[in-house]
Amino acid sequence: MNAIETEKLGKEYRIGFWRKRICVLSQLDLTVHEGEVFGYLGPNGAGKTTTLKLLTGLLRPTSGKAKVLGRPPGDVVMQQQVGFLPEQPSFYEYLTGRELLNFYGQLVGLDRPTRREQIEGLARQLRIESALDLQLRKYSKGMLQRLGLAQALLNDPRLVLLDEPMSGLDPIGRWEVRDLLLRLKSEGRTVFFSSHIIPDVEMVCDRVGILVGGRLVAQGPIDDILGAQIASIEVTASQVPPEVMAELGYLLVTQSVPRGERLLLTVKDEAALAELLTRLLDCKATIHAIAPHRESLEEYFIRYVQPRETP
Amino acid sequence: MRVAVIALNTFKEAVRDRILYAILVFALVMLAGSTILVTISVDGEEKIIKDLGLACISIFGLLIATFLGTGLVSKEIEKRTLYTIISKPIHRYQFILGKYLGLVMTLLVNVGVMGLGLIGLAYIWEGTSSVRLLLAVLFIFLELVLVTAIAMLFSAFSSPALSALFTLCLFVAGHLSADLRLFAAQFGGAATKLLAEVLFFLLPNLSRLNLKDQTVHGIAIDGGTMALSVVYAIFYVAALVLAAMAIFQRRDFK
């Protein structure tokens, strides 16, 4: 069974006086396997939060259907096994951290000893122990985010849905969340999280989905999406005579970059590389390194998303 | 069980809200202040205390019911605090019921404190304990329970400000609907009569729950009529809460 499966899932809002239709998500076919970390990427306003709300039952789809752990979203049996962190979570400010977690613990049906154990354990893991007895109105944004993660994990969930879990965190906090995601995976849980911070996704995800303008434009392992295809090849050489350098200009993708004594030359593909190497060897230049450079997710993202966003 | 968790937390929210204390203190001061009027009145001292006291409880109770009631659901949506609750293993109707019961509990405590204050005051002034006064306070509570249900129903689909306005309008209309029907029956044409009848049956008949005049002036109250009023209020509340649940069940939380 897949952890998440959607079939032509779509959501339209009706806004304004004339109830004009706005499509925020259309024809979403998403598959998340059990036990994997799935990164859900997309620019702001692509429909990531809408998807997560559809999966948790906060919104109802206008078309298509979704199954979470084999059950319809919003189903109580499903909710018992799912943890959810909304985007920029907001909690009852008049409660202390401990009271809030205790409240959620009761809602997920934990008995008193289990609640205490879980709250202590998660507070330690997420480093909010010292703030547990403070009222939430005194929490910083990062602390609220950690508390949000704690409440999502209280019920020992099989599937964790996180909306922008790294937002609002400092670099150390982000690093810790990355660690947490990997730990959740090693415990056999499925993690589905949205983000627009690509390096975060690239480091921890088994598979990713890329959402642009309400449509899923790619889905699969990062390697498959980016392809084994090489974006460019960097050659480091030295003792290249200036006149040869001037002739080589047409082969290069970007201008040569001096690195001390050496030069960094970037070419587009293997054919250009072969020609460059021949010329360099001919003039007795020294070649120090040849490094194929694969496209990063970020570069892919910018290349893919930009032309669609700016018509 | 989950309903109780939500209800207790709603109660806790109200208890930790400073505005509630301000209202309560103000109400008690007003109650105590009514004794000043007694000293300058010529006749009927005990009537003034009861009259003003019951009006006071009614008005401040109405304030609490309306303003906490209208925020009950809409504030949760606006502040997005319900995202993490609705996504827990809890049915939406349980959430609504819990929120409602939490506020009813809050009202019970508040009306209770004000009611005890009034009964105590009446006792000091007259030296008689009054079961009838207690009964009048209980009926005010019942009325507020109904108003809270109205407020919550509006708050399930409207903004707090609009909900408060609607609720107060319905409160006034609910007190006047019986009179309106009477007027229409005496002076109106067929169409007016029909309209008044329809309004009378749709609007909450709040004057039914008003025992203030009878209590203050010592008019006998029929037990059967009272029992019927209680049943009426319970059914009306049940219908309102069910409607709020039905609306909430279908709501999208953008």
Side-chain angles (χ1 to χ4, degrees):
Chain A
M1 187 181 64
N2 288 319
I4 299 173
E5 237 178 61
T6 71
E7 206 185 306
K8 304 211 178 324
L9 193 66
K11 181 70 191 170
E12 281 176 354
Y13 290 131
R14 288 172 170 270
I15 56 158
F17 183 73
W18 303 107
R19 316 295 289 152
K20 204 178 121 197
R21 284 176 192 214
I22 297 271
C23 179
V24 282
L25 196 66
S26 77
Q27 306 273 324
L28 180 74
D29 291 318
L30 192 71
T31 312
V32 177
H33 307 305
E34 218 159 340
E36 72 180 2
V37 178
F38 190 99
Y40 199 42
L41 274 168
N44 294 327
K48 300 190 295 289
T49 297
T50 303
T51 310
L52 276 153
K53 284 184 178 174
L54 286 167
L55 293 178
T56 47
L58 288 171
L59 291 175
R60 286 164 210 275
T62 23
S63 60
K65 55 185 172 187
K67 282 240 160 97
V68 180
L69 297 174
R71 304 190 74 98
D75 176 89
V76 175
V77 178
M78 165 234 138
Q79 285 169 331
Q80 187 68 57
Q81 308 175 60
V82 173
F84 172 52
L85 169 74
E87 188 180 15
Q88 290 171 7
S90 147
F91 305 109
Y92 295 130
E93 286 190 331
Y94 53 88
L95 295 179
T96 66
R98 192 186 303 278
E99 284 172 328
L100 186 85
L101 291 177
N102 203 40
F103 168 67
Y104 286 126
Q106 285 176 305
L107 285 184
V108 297
L110 301 180
D111 57 27
R112 195 185 291 264
T114 319
R115 270 196 321 261
R116 188 174 305 159
E117 200 179 304
Q118 278 289 75
I119 292 170
E120 295 296 332
L122 285 167
R124 209 173 318 118
Q125 265 185 47
L126 292 157
R127 301 203 300 119
I128 46 172
E129 282 163 301
S130 57
L132 267 187
D133 293 309
L134 279 181
Q135 271 199 341
L136 295 195
R137 62 180 99 243
K138 298 192 179 112
Y139 272 48
S140 68
K141 207 175 159 200
M143 294 303 269
L144 282 175
Q145 191 76 6
R146 286 160 196 264
L147 190 70
L149 283 163
Q151 65 80 28
L153 300 174
L154 266 179
N155 56 336
D156 196 14
R158 259 170 75 196
L159 167 67
V160 189
L161 303 169
L162 310 169
D163 199 354
E164 302 277 0
M166 278 106 166
S167 84
L169 294 178
D170 55 23
I172 298 167
R174 276 169 58 188
W175 190 259
E176 284 171 352
V177 170
R178 251 176 266 173
D179 265 5
L180 176 74
L181 297 186
L182 292 173
R183 189 164 65 235
L184 292 175
K185 186 195 165 185
S186 71
E187 289 165 355
R189 303 177 213 271
T190 313
V191 180
F192 178 90
F193 76 99
S194 76
S195 183
H196 60 257
I197 305 168
I198 298 159
D200 292 343
V201 176
E202 209 163 11
M203 286 180 85
V204 296
C205 290
D206 299 303
R207 295 199 313 133
V208 298
I210 297 178
L211 192 71
V212 181
R215 288 178 180 277
L216 195 66
V217 295
Q219 168 175 224
I222 295 180
D223 286 347
D224 286 8
I225 290 181
L226 299 178
Q229 201 187 347
I230 287 159
S232 59
I233 306 164
E234 291 173 353
V235 177
T236 317
S238 62
Q239 291 164 334
V240 187
E243 64 275 14
V244 178
M245 203 50 244
E247 282 172 38
L248 286 175
Y250 73 97
L251 281 172
L252 303 179
V253 182
T254 55
Q255 270 200 321
S256 60
V257 184
R259 295 238 170 117
E261 300 254 300
R262 300 171 182 190
L263 276 175
L264 184 69
L265 308 165
T266 311
V267 292
K268 202 176 120 226
D269 51 19
E270 277 98 343
L273 175 71
E275 206 174 330
L276 177 74
L277 290 182
T278 318
R279 299 292 298 267
L280 289 176
L281 291 172
D282 278 353
C283 68
K284 301 275 192 294
T286 314
I287 296 164
H288 300 279
I290 301 170
H293 182 63
R294 212 185 60 172
E295 191 176 39
S296 74
L297 200 51
E298 191 146 16
E299 285 161 329
Y300 173 89
F301 198 63
I302 290 167
R303 185 163 59 83
Y304 209 100
V305 173
Q306 252 178 356
R308 285 160 183 254
E309 292 236 302
T310 48
Chain B
M1 168 58 198
R2 290 188 164 103
V3 175
V5 174
I6 300 276
L8 282 174
N9 193 62
T10 308
F11 181 67
K12 197 185 260 179
E13 174 173 13
V15 168
R16 293 194 182 173
D17 198 341
R18 286 191 202 104
I19 295 169
L20 198 67
Y21 291 103
I23 293 179
L24 202 56
V25 167
F26 196 66
L28 291 176
V29 169
M30 287 280 281
L31 277 179
S34 65
T35 54
I36 295 170
L37 286 179
V38 173
T39 56
I40 57 169
S41 72
V42 182
D43 194 16
E45 288 86 353
E46 77 284 357
K47 282 200 186 96
I48 291 185
I49 290 182
K50 284 182 188 167
D51 211 1
L52 283 176
L54 287 174
C56 213
I57 295 175
S58 194
I59 288 169
F60 287 104
L62 178 69
L63 278 181
I64 296 173
T66 309
F67 290 103
L68 293 188
T70 50
L72 211 50
V73 180
S74 51
K75 213 171 75 190
E76 294 262 353
I77 298 174
E78 205 175 295
K79 290 196 169 176
R80 296 180 291 120
T81 42
L82 95 177
Y83 289 2
T84 43
I85 296 171
I86 294 294
S87 55
K88 293 277 181 289
I90 174 172
H91 293 287
R92 287 188 181 190
Y93 68 82
Q94 289 176 318
F95 177 77
I96 288 288
L97 194 60
K99 290 300 282 183
Y100 180 67
L101 292 179
L103 186 46
V104 167
M105 224 189 298
T106 311
L107 277 172
L108 184 67
V109 171
N110 278 282
V111 173
V113 170
M114 290 190 282
L116 284 181
L118 175 64
I119 291 170
L121 207 61
Y123 181 75
I124 292 167
W125 222 255
E126 294 173 40
T128 58
S129 63
S130 168
V131 180
R132 297 194 55 176
L133 201 55
L134 183 67
L135 208 59
V137 173
L138 272 177
F139 267 77
I140 290 177
F141 172 67
L142 203 58
E143 181 183 356
L144 294 176
V145 166
L146 206 158
V147 172
T148 306
I150 296 173
M152 185 177 70
L153 175 62
F154 283 128
S155 116
F157 62 86
S158 180
S159 72
L162 272 182
S163 305
L165 189 69
F166 290 150
T167 307
L168 291 176
C169 286
L170 261 191
F171 176 80
V172 174
H175 272 286
L176 295 179
S177 65
D179 293 338
L180 193 71
R181 185 196 192 199
L182 209 66
F183 276 129
Q186 287 194 326
F187 307 111
T192 320
K193 273 181 192 156
L194 185 69
L195 183 68
E197 284 295 314
V198 170
L199 278 178
F200 177 74
F201 282 108
L202 282 182
L203 293 172
N205 186 0
L206 294 178
S207 46
R208 249 206 113 104
L209 303 175
N210 184 0
L211 301 186
K212 292 188 203 77
D213 298 341
Q214 288 97 314
T215 308
V216 172
H217 299 289
I219 302 163
I221 310 167
D222 174 35
T225 316
M226 261 194 313
L228 212 60
S229 298
V230 173
V231 173
Y232 171 79
I234 290 172
F235 271 93
Y236 209 99
V237 165
L240 290 170
V241 173
L242 283 175
M245 284 175 180
I247 290 170
F248 193 68
Q249 191 66 33
R250 298 166 46 148
R251 255 201 90 137
D252 267 354
F253 302 112
K254 283 186 208 174

